Amino acid sequence: MKDWSPEKLLPDHIKKFEAYIPSKPDAELMKLYGCSRIHRLNNNENALGPPPAAQEVLRDFSPENAAIYPSGDAFYLRCKLAEKFGMSPEQFLVGNGANEVISFVIKAFCEQGDNIITADKTFAVYEWVAQFSGFEARLVPLKDYAFDDQGMLAQTDERTKILFICNPNNPTGTYWNRDKLCNFLDKTVGRWVVVVDEAYCEFVDKEDFPHGMALIAQYPNLVVFRTFSKMYGLAGLRIGYLAGSREVVDVVRRTCVVYSVNTLAQQAALAALDDDGHILRTRKMVKEGKEYLRAELTRLGLPLIMGEGNYVMIKLPMSDTLAYRKLMKKGVMVRTMTGFRFPNHIRVTISGMEAMKDFVEALAEILPGRRASRIATLRPAGAQSR
Ligand SMILES: *Cc1c(COP(=O)(O)O)cnc(C)c1O
């Protein structure tokens, strides 16, 4: 049929949904913006790469193994996780990135008419997966940049299935301490599933930060998400996991896609878990990067939203999309935040010092008028400008 369009077949919730467009590869972007290198400060990756032991596994991988299906349920990795956290291997489900386990949980618990609850300004994939699956996402405004526990509870009803908390929050860096999280779990246990996304927990060294793994025995409704993409530097291999009580994990397993996690990712993740030195080196880099940015952005007079995690948000006196294009021409890629309901904000990954310096220099150059000249006078005489 000539006038056939797939649109006619679409459910309403898909008609309304817009696809997410990821960034182009570096080589394409360099052509597009006319720059000769790109610092990717948009995805919160680890500039130090994977831990040395994982790098060795990657170098030693024998090509013949590519012909063999991986372990369908990441057997050895689950055993290792069980040992590390003092739990049972059956309490873990490994996915193709934490992104995939988000959909496992939503598919397992939600049906038409159900809702999930999360914040309006947080990692957007919980909201997106719910919406393109036809479920309502109730978005509760952050309070002082943090998840609002009372606000979230007030939004629950008899069709609520899952509450998602990002701890620490991407992009604001705020976190719930142990008391606050336990209090929330006390109020939800026996009623709804609570997901605590700990994608950035390895970056946090605060005494009162609660590690969800330790609370699972106490709260059978708690599901914890972790990823190897951020601290462990394996974003390109796509591997993350969830953990929970036997009861919850046994039902989520029904919607879990087996063989979705490749052999290389499983082996590299296994090796990465042992390297605590890597965590310390990365935390040191992030600490130094944050101190440097705090000083430089104060000098530039730009408000900074900075907490836990390997990222900061910056409020600009200009449009974030315009700033993005101007920074790209100078070889620096940041994340625009208008789409995440923070208009005129950018999020920047804390990386090595060279990238941080290039970023600050580029930012100073693109700021409207007055500020740019102010930074120019602060740069030491003879400093080179790229
Ligand atoms: C990056 C990120 C994830 C997803 O990580 P994967 O690469 O899919 O493992 C999940 N949650 C948050 C908050 C993140 O920032």
Side-chain angles (χ1 to χ4, degrees), residues 227-303:
T227 179
F228 289 95
S229 297
K230 308 289 161 58
M231 175 57 86
Y232 292 109
L234 297 174
L237 297 185
R238 313 301 305 123
I239 182 165
Y241 61 96
L242 65 75
S245 63
R246 273 298 293 265
E247 301 93 293
V248 167
V249 173
D250 281 346
V251 298
V252 176
R253 189 176 295 108
R254 300 175 195 180
T255 64
C256 164
V257 179
V258 291
Y259 298 116
S260 75
V261 186
N262 69 76
T263 306
L264 202 50
Q266 292 185 31
Q267 291 182 358
L270 193 63
L273 275 179
D274 277 332
D275 198 332
D276 291 337
H278 180 76
I279 295 185
L280 298 178
R281 285 190 297 277
T282 304
R283 283 184 182 173
K284 181 164 177 282
M285 174 186 76
V286 170
K287 184 162 179 276
E288 288 168 2
K290 282 181 175 170
E291 280 165 8
Y292 172 77
L293 282 188
R294 190 193 295 282
E296 293 297 316
L297 294 170
T298 304
R299 208 169 291 172
L300 286 171
L302 296 179

Side-chain angles (χ1 to χ4, degrees), residues 43-45 95-102 122-126 165-171 197-200 225-230 234-241 310-311 347:
N43 272 341
N44 302 341
E45 292 147 350
N96 193 262
N99 270 311
E100 196 186 40
V101 305
I102 296 174
T122 184
F123 189 62
V125 181
Y126 326 124
I165 292 133
C166 187
N167 210 38
N169 189 31
N170 170 10
D197 183 346
E198 297 186 340
Y200 299 96
F225 288 176
R226 296 273 185 107
T227 179
F228 289 95
S229 297
K230 308 289 161 58
L234 297 174
L237 297 185
R238 313 301 305 123
I239 182 165
Y241 61 96
N310 62 340
Y311 45 83
R347 190 194 64 201

Side-chain angles (χ1 to χ4, degrees), residues 92-290:
F92 297 89
L93 289 176
V94 182
N96 193 262
N99 270 311
E100 196 186 40
V101 305
I102 296 174
S103 66
F104 295 166
V105 179
I106 291 180
K107 276 189 248 176
F109 289 103
C110 295
E111 63 186 315
Q112 206 182 6
D114 286 345
N115 65 72
I116 64 119
I117 298 176
T118 187
D120 61 340
K121 293 162 177 172
T122 184
F123 189 62
V125 181
Y126 326 124
E127 170 190 338
W128 292 342
V129 173
Q131 288 171 346
F132 69 54
S133 307
F135 313 124
E136 183 191 356
R138 298 189 173 173
L139 307 179
V140 177
L142 293 182
K143 201 168 163 185
D144 298 327
Y145 293 110
F147 271 68
D148 174 8
D149 51 349
Q150 297 306 321
M152 289 180 75
L153 292 172
Q155 283 293 313
T156 56
D157 63 17
E158 68 286 353
R159 299 306 300 269
T160 298
K161 293 291 178 71
I162 313 166
L163 300 113
F164 286 91
I165 292 133
C166 187
N167 210 38
N169 189 31
N170 170 10
T172 57
T174 53
Y175 69 94
W176 281 3
N177 64 22
R178 195 171 293 108
D179 284 350
K180 185 146 182 168
L181 179 60
C182 287
N183 205 297
F184 188 79
L185 290 166
D186 284 332
K187 291 186 177 132
T188 55
V189 71
R191 307 177 76 177
W192 312 290
V193 172
V194 171
V195 169
V196 178
D197 183 346
E198 297 186 340
Y200 299 96
C201 68
E202 297 91 354
F203 293 93
V204 185
D205 61 359
K206 291 279 174 17
E207 260 299 307
D208 62 346
F209 179 78
H211 285 277
M213 294 298 177
L215 298 172
I216 287 171
Q218 213 176 322
Y219 298 102
N221 65 326
L222 171 62
V223 173
V224 175
F225 288 176
R226 296 273 185 107
T227 179
F228 289 95
S229 297
K230 308 289 161 58
M231 175 57 86
Y232 292 109
L234 297 174
L237 297 185
R238 313 301 305 123
I239 182 165
Y241 61 96
L242 65 75
S245 63
R246 273 298 293 265
E247 301 93 293
V248 167
V249 173
D250 281 346
V251 298
V252 176
R253 189 176 295 108
R254 300 175 195 180
T255 64
C256 164
V257 179
V258 291
Y259 298 116
S260 75
V261 186
N262 69 76
T263 306
L264 202 50
Q266 292 185 31
Q267 291 182 358
L270 193 63
L273 275 179
D274 277 332
D275 198 332
D276 291 337
H278 180 76
I279 295 185
L280 298 178
R281 285 190 297 277
T282 304
R283 283 184 182 173
K284 181 164 177 282
M285 174 186 76
V286 170
K287 184 162 179 276
E288 288 168 2
K290 282 181 175 170

